Amino acid sequence: VQLVESGGGLVQAGGSLRLSCAASGRTVSSYAMGWFRQALGKEREFVAAINWSASTTRYADSVKGRFTISRDDAKNTVYLQMNSLKPEDTAVYYCAAEPKEYYSGSYYKEGTYYYWGQGTQVTVSS
């Protein structure tokens, strides 16, 4: 599968953005999907995840209540709705996918996911 993120940009603190991760090839309902982010000079960190049936979502504590991960199977796209953005949310955001037959359950680990997008920059100004 190929993953292409979009929707990043510059936004003021308190604003919102919606990131998209368009998948080509196999349907996203065959994958566990995750969003990660990497701020300048920091390690990549887990943000949110959704399982292949879309029955379970998980979030990092830092974004819980502000971000929502969702999926549109008809568009083969996963979204990350980001509200109440803070300057500390500034980072490159990456979409990741792991085929359900190989999924380990460790949704918060980078190594769980085999496929990655190229990333999209989100900058939140204060």
Side-chain angles (χ1 to χ4, degrees):
V1 66
Q2 288 187 321
L3 305 173
V4 179
E5 301 97 333
S6 61
L10 174 64
V11 64
Q12 287 189 333
S16 299
L17 282 174
R18 188 178 77 160
L19 305 183
S20 299
C21 173
S24 60
R26 199 172 168 191
T27 175
V28 292
S29 61
S30 299
Y31 296 90
M33 304 290 295
W35 284 97
F36 288 73
R37 66 186 182 186
Q38 187 169 22
L40 196 62
K42 295 187 177 181
E43 293 185 352
R44 192 151 53 183
E45 63 176 6
F46 168 74
V47 176
I50 187 167
N51 69 345
W52 51 88
S53 63
S55 60
T56 302
T57 56
R58 303 290 187 190
Y59 297 94
D61 287 344
S62 58
V63 308
K64 205 170 290 184
R66 300 188 297 123
F67 291 11
T68 303
I69 188 171
S70 63
R71 199 179 76 197
D72 186 333
D73 290 351
K75 296 183 178 180
N76 219 31
T77 298
V78 175
Y79 300 100
L80 185 68
Q81 177 67 43
M82 305 186 296
N83 298 329
S84 301
L85 282 162
K86 305 175 181 179
E88 51 263 44
D89 294 318
T90 295
V92 177
Y93 284 70
Y94 297 90
C95 175
E98 176 70 1
K100 62 181 180 180
E101 55 266 35
Y102 302 118
Y103 181 57
S104 68
S106 299
Y107 57 87
Y108 53 93
K109 293 183 178 180
E110 281 189 68
T112 294
Y113 302 90
Y114 184 79
Y115 299 98
W116 290 82
Q118 83 290 348
T120 185
Q121 176 71 47
V122 171
T123 303
V124 184
S125 64
S126 57

